[in-house]
Amino acid sequence: MAALGALALASGAAHAQSADRAPPHQEADASREIRFQADRVTYASDAETVTATGNVVLNRAEQTVRADVVTWNRKTGLIEASGNIRFVDEAGNVLYTDKVELTDELKAGAIEDMLLVLRQGGRLAARSGTRAANGDMVLHDAAYSGCAVEDEDGCPKRPSWEVTAVAVTYDAKDQRVRYKGALLRVFGLPILPLPGLSHTSDFRAESGLLIPDFRFSAANGAEISDTYYWRLANNKDLALTGYIFTGALPMISGRYRQLTDHGAFQASAYLTRSARINVGGGNVTDANAQQQVFRGYFEANGRLQLSENWSLTGYGRYASDRTFLRRYDISRDDRLRSTINLERIDANSYFSLAGWAVQTLRSGDRQGLVPIAIPALEYRRRIVPPAVGGTLELQLNSLALTRSGGQDTQRAFAKAQWDLRTITSLGQEITFTALVRGDAYHSQQNELTSNLFYRGIPGWQGRAIATAAVDIKWPLIGAAFGGTQVFTPRVQFVAIPHIRNFAIPNEDSRSVELEDSNLFSLNRFPGYDRIEDGMRVTYGADWQLTRPGWRIMSTIGQSYRLSTQQTLLPDGTGLSSRTSDIVGRTDLRFRDIVQFTHRYRLDKDSLKLRRNEIDATIGNHRTYAEIGYLRLNRDIPATFEDLRDREEVRFSGRIAFARRWSVFGSGVANLTGKVDDPTKTTDGFQMLRHRLGFAYADDCLDIALTWRRDYITTGDATRGNTIQFNISFKGLGVR
């Protein structure tokens, strides 16, 4: 039976006594009392020493010591512990050693062959050291690492990286580690001396240099970049990065972030000077003329929560030219969007007052044809009518589009839509919809829009829209194939009187195509400017099978136009004939191993695939393969630039081996031929880019070496190879 006892300190004299027999005035402060338990306790009266052996545990406040043997000298107050010692201090740090001297307040003194596991992470090992009463430590022949020293099975393992030093000082109050004669070792190999190194032990952010990055690219040559991180306050910071290239002038960048009482925002900027090749749409005669100019990029975003319902969101991006982002591998976006949006959201209403601007980075595009949208106003309110039931949604919308070199359009409309959903006694779900809308449009300089179908009539135009619809679903549930299946046939009737569509400019409804996602929409056009009028019936079915670990979902459908009037939908969209093409989608899931999605559109006459899109993933988060394939064979006229045919394949994969290592790769290839897109210079295959590399990752170290090749040259963003090396150490700075 384990012996239990208490060590109490009173009036500077150490003595032991039984708590239940102590007079009240002799009771020690509980925070100063040392309690212990052990398998055996012996007392030597001549030496006045108490020795506890076997599973000894000492407790004082939040400190704990576990050891095989503990000896307490009552005269000196010195406590010596030995054998499998585990000492936890007030801060939660854990000290492992075989022998340690403690004071009567459980403060460690001289230590040998020790390992200190810091509460916030990180480990310090040393051959010898001393610990002061305030928790500071001075260690000799020491090493520090952010890695675990045991594997998942509790067996010892060597850390992936460590910093060795002649001496290490640990400041308990500031939670900082300082080194003398520091040397970085990775996998046991000496890599880099680090004179004057110091860092926090709790991984909190602080000012200092981060780990540098190394890269080689065809456009800029060899590159090294490093960042100085400046911790301005607990709620704001600044990062300044310098880039040095062998094939270009240096570049600088900065990023500022701040958290306020109402939200957060950040801003980034890049600046350099280099030769630029004009690829804009305004002047193509000197497309190969190089210009040595200042170039850069600015980006900012933020959100302020003004109250429970009101918020202000902003996002801005601007590049000095069309190839800067690609050349310096900052972004591959071909359009930069900027917006500011004031919103109010509650349970039954939504208000938005926004403005939009877009900068095109596409080669040959004219910036003057890209509109600025300001203001863009949207208001919606949901009401439950007390008499008829259902839901009534009211909507107000206005938009003004301005172009410096093209058509200007202003729009405003008001809409009311009522929906009533009911379930019959046989289980059918029926939804009744009634919609009315009134529009007012104004446009000018319409002749600057090259496509006649998009222009509309200049000046003021108006139209009225009315819609009535009935949507019927009938879910049928039963057992099948060892699981549960749900078969849901669906039919929808929609009636919309004739609308003056071509009198209205088409700004937001150009990219139209029949898909599974819009098959049962009241209007198959995206946006508000075009309305699919006439009477039609849409029919289809959903099917779902669920088994343990498996799930299959499938949708198929088609529509038929009852009215004989000519449609405004162009050939190739799947909606131009009275009978539409057949669209569908199939999703397959097998646990977290297989994910497969197939979207398709079949020609109504020949059943030829007009849209064939596949996305598949096989594997887990460590080893997987992904493929994406898209084939659009719509036979659409070339005048509709938003709907051109194309074919492409995307693939990526990762193979993990040796527990921590992996190889990975990805690629994108354009398979579009001249038959589908006459503007293409290749016929059937054009590799766009690929990426290959290997990586190592564990709990404290990430290493990656990547080779990427671009096959397309755009201005000074030249085709060629890019090689990048990244390394990050937990506790020393990460990228």
Side-chain angles (χ1 to χ4, degrees):
M1 186 176 196
L4 299 176
L7 302 180
L9 306 178
S11 302
H15 59 276
Q17 63 181 17
S18 175
D20 56 352
R21 292 183 296 138
H25 65 276
Q26 292 183 349
E27 290 185 358
D29 186 353
S31 64
R32 301 176 58 200
E33 189 177 75
I34 299 177
R35 296 184 175 275
F36 74 91
Q37 70 178 45
D39 293 338
R40 182 182 179 186
V41 177
T42 60
Y43 175 68
S45 58
D46 54 346
E48 294 194 43
T49 59
V50 178
T51 301
T53 58
N55 299 314
V56 185
V57 179
L58 304 181
N59 291 284
R60 182 181 185 273
E62 297 180 357
Q63 302 175 86
T64 303
V65 178
R66 297 177 181 269
D68 293 338
V69 179
V70 172
T71 301
W72 173 43
N73 190 310
R74 298 184 60 188
K75 292 181 178 180
T76 63
L78 181 66
I79 301 174
E80 292 184 353
S82 60
N84 299 315
I85 298 171
R86 183 180 185 273
F87 171 42
V88 182
D89 63 16
E90 304 95 322
N93 303 319
V94 183
L95 174 66
Y96 297 92
T97 185
D98 283 330
K99 186 176 181 180
V100 65
E101 294 180 356
L102 305 169
T103 68
D104 50 15
E105 294 182 351
L106 289 192
K107 303 296 185 181
I111 313 169
E112 295 183 358
D113 294 330
M114 55 149 288
L115 171 65
L116 177 64
V117 180
L118 303 174
R119 179 181 181 181
Q120 295 84 358
R123 291 152 179 85
L124 278 166
R127 295 194 182 278
S128 63
T130 57
R131 183 179 186 273
N134 61 359
D136 293 351
M137 301 187 71
V138 178
L139 311 177
H140 305 283
D141 293 332
Y144 171 83
S145 178
C147 307
V149 294
E150 292 183 349
D151 59 18
E152 296 86 349
D153 300 324
C155 300
K157 73 166 186 174
R158 182 161 191 163
S160 306
W161 67 267
E162 60 183 350
V163 177
T164 60
V166 176
V168 174
T169 302
Y170 169 65
D171 190 319
K173 181 179 179 180
D174 294 339
Q175 295 185 330
R176 176 172 292 278
V177 182
R178 295 180 175 88
Y179 299 83
K180 180 180 179 181
L183 177 65
L184 174 64
R185 296 176 181 269
V186 179
F187 302 122
L189 301 176
I191 300 298
L192 182 68
L194 300 171
L197 175 67
S198 71
H199 61 83
T200 61
S201 62
D202 56 355
F203 306 133
R204 68 182 185 273
E206 64 168 357
S207 300
L209 287 173
L210 302 183
I211 302 299
D213 279 343
F214 304 92
R215 180 186 300 175
F216 177 86
S217 65
N220 302 311
E223 169 192 341
I224 181 172
S225 62
D226 200 3
T227 300
Y228 183 83
Y229 176 81
W230 191 2
R231 183 76 167 179
L232 301 174
N234 290 332
N235 67 324
K236 53 187 175 182
D237 57 23
L238 175 66
L240 300 175
T241 304
Y243 307 80
I244 298 177
F245 312 96
T246 60
L249 293 176
M251 181 173 69
I252 59 172
S253 70
R255 184 192 65 189
Y256 177 82
R257 302 184 299 179
Q258 182 172 342
L259 178 67
T260 71
D261 294 336
H262 297 287
F265 66 92
Q266 65 177 2
S268 302
Y270 295 78
L271 180 64
T272 189
R273 184 177 176 87
S274 61
R276 181 186 67 183
I277 300 177
N278 180 21
V279 296
N283 185 1
V284 297
T285 59
D286 62 343
N288 295 320
Q290 295 195 14
Q291 307 167 17
Q292 194 81 13
V293 294
F294 282 104
R295 310 172 66 185
Y297 169 67
F298 176 79
E299 176 179 352
N301 64 79
R303 178 182 175 88
L304 298 177
Q305 193 68 40
L306 306 177
S307 66
E308 180 182 358
N309 302 115
W310 286 93
S311 65
L312 179 65
T313 304
Y315 192 90
R317 303 177 71 188
Y318 177 77
S320 60
D321 56 85
R322 305 194 183 202
T323 58
F324 176 80
L325 295 180
R326 275 199 56 189
R327 171 171 178 172
Y328 292 96
D329 205 20
I330 300 171
S331 171
R332 292 186 170 271
D333 293 341
D334 60 1
R335 285 163 292 187
L336 303 182
R337 297 179 176 88
S338 300
T339 182
I340 185 168
N341 190 8
L342 177 65
E343 294 179 290
R344 186 188 186 280
I345 304 174
D346 61 27
N348 294 302
S349 68
Y350 172 77
F351 170 82
S352 170
L353 180 61
W356 289 84
V358 178
Q359 180 187 10
T360 181
L361 303 183
R362 293 182 175 183
S363 176
D365 279 5
R366 292 175 54 192
Q367 182 65 45
L369 296 180
V370 180
I372 297 175
I374 185 169
L377 186 145
E378 174 85 2
Y379 176 74
R380 299 187 185 192
R381 183 160 192 86
R382 185 171 53 195
I383 302 172
V384 178
V388 297
T391 301
L392 176 64
E393 182 179 279
L394 305 177
Q395 180 182 3
L396 297 174
N397 179 282
S398 70
L399 175 67
L401 298 178
T402 303
R403 295 176 174 89
S404 60
Q407 177 177 330
D408 297 338
T409 303
Q410 298 84 43
R411 173 190 76 200
F413 70 78
K415 186 185 81 170
Q417 179 175 333
W418 173 75
D419 295 287
L420 175 64
R421 176 178 173 270
T422 183
I423 305 295
T424 69
S425 59
L426 296 178
Q428 295 98 339
E429 177 186 339
I430 304 178
T431 302
F432 300 94
T433 299
L435 180 152
V436 292
R437 184 177 127 187
D439 299 352
Y441 279 77
H442 179 267
S443 59
Q444 57 190 12
Q445 296 182 307
N446 300 53
E447 68 280 359
L448 297 178
T449 298
S450 58
N451 194 322
L452 296 176
F453 293 97
Y454 298 157
R455 287 183 180 177
I457 300 176
W460 287 98
Q461 304 294 329
R463 67 179 176 184
I465 302 168
T467 303
V470 179
D471 194 318
I472 304 172
K473 302 178 185 178
W474 195 359
L476 304 172
I477 304 175
F481 307 105
T484 302
Q485 70 169 342
V486 180
F487 178 70
T488 307
R490 182 177 181 182
V491 61
Q492 179 194 62
F493 298 92
V494 178
I496 303 177
H498 177 66
I499 297 172
R500 298 174 61 242
N501 273 296
F502 287 114
I504 302 299
N506 184 0
E507 298 281 6
D508 64 4
S509 303
R510 300 181 180 184
S511 183
V512 57
E513 182 181 5
L514 182 64
E515 300 174 347
D516 65 285
S517 59
N518 65 7
L519 175 64
F520 287 93
S521 299
L522 297 179
N523 179 33
R524 265 84 73 93
F525 278 99
Y528 298 111
D529 293 338
R530 288 288 181 267
I531 303 296
E532 183 185 3
D533 51 9
M535 297 180 61
R536 69 175 185 269
V537 56
T538 305
Y539 42 87
D542 299 328
W543 178 72
Q544 177 176 317
L545 173 65
T546 303
R547 292 190 58 192
W550 285 87
R551 187 178 65 178
I552 303 174
M553 296 183 296
S554 184
T555 297
I556 191 170
Q558 187 181 35
S559 67
Y560 178 77
R561 194 168 62 252
L562 302 175
S563 54
T564 58
Q565 64 190 44
Q566 185 178 3
T567 180
L568 74 159
L569 290 152
D571 293 334
T573 60
L575 292 165
S576 56
S577 301
R578 293 187 66 183
T579 302
S580 76
D581 287 348
I582 302 169
V583 294
R585 170 175 175 158
T586 300
D587 290 287
L588 170 65
R589 298 289 187 272
F590 174 64
R591 297 192 177 134
D592 293 329
I593 301 175
V594 177
Q595 300 181 40
F596 176 85
T597 299
H598 181 216
R599 302 176 184 87
Y600 59 89
R601 176 161 66 90
L602 300 174
D603 188 280
K604 61 178 176 48
D605 298 319
S606 63
L607 298 182
K608 187 176 182 179
L609 277 170
R610 296 300 181 188
R611 181 187 187 97
N612 188 18
E613 186 175 1
I614 296 173
D615 289 291
T617 302
I618 300 175
N620 53 37
H621 69 285
R622 298 190 68 235
T623 298
Y624 62 86
E626 295 180 344
I627 186 170
Y629 172 78
L630 175 63
R631 168 80 160 116
L632 299 177
N633 181 27
R634 296 174 286 200
D635 287 338
I636 203 161
T639 53
F640 295 93
E641 70 274 9
D642 303 284
L643 300 171
R644 285 179 180 166
D645 290 338
R646 71 178 188 271
E647 185 176 8
E648 68 177 29
V649 62
R650 310 174 308 278
F651 54 88
S652 64
R654 179 182 292 269
I655 300 175
F657 63 95
R659 298 188 67 182
R660 304 296 185 183
W661 293 88
S662 63
V663 294
F664 56 87
S666 63
V668 180
N670 184 5
L671 307 181
T672 307
K674 295 180 181 179
V675 175
D676 294 326
D677 188 352
T679 64
K680 296 296 180 184
T681 57
T682 59
D683 193 4
F685 182 84
Q686 182 184 30
M687 197 71 188
L688 300 180
R689 62 183 176 273
H690 75 249
R691 184 176 66 124
L692 294 173
F694 71 88
Y696 173 88
D698 61 19
D699 61 319
C700 64
L701 177 64
D702 288 315
I703 301 175
L705 180 64
T706 306
W707 165 48
R708 191 188 74 232
R709 180 169 180 82
D710 291 288
Y711 292 84
I712 304 297
T713 295
T714 304
D716 61 323
T718 58
R719 58 182 294 176
N721 299 316
T722 298
I723 299 174
Q724 184 167 351
F725 176 74
N726 295 96
I727 185 169
S728 64
F729 304 92
K730 179 181 179 182
L732 289 182
V734 296
R735 178 67 61 186

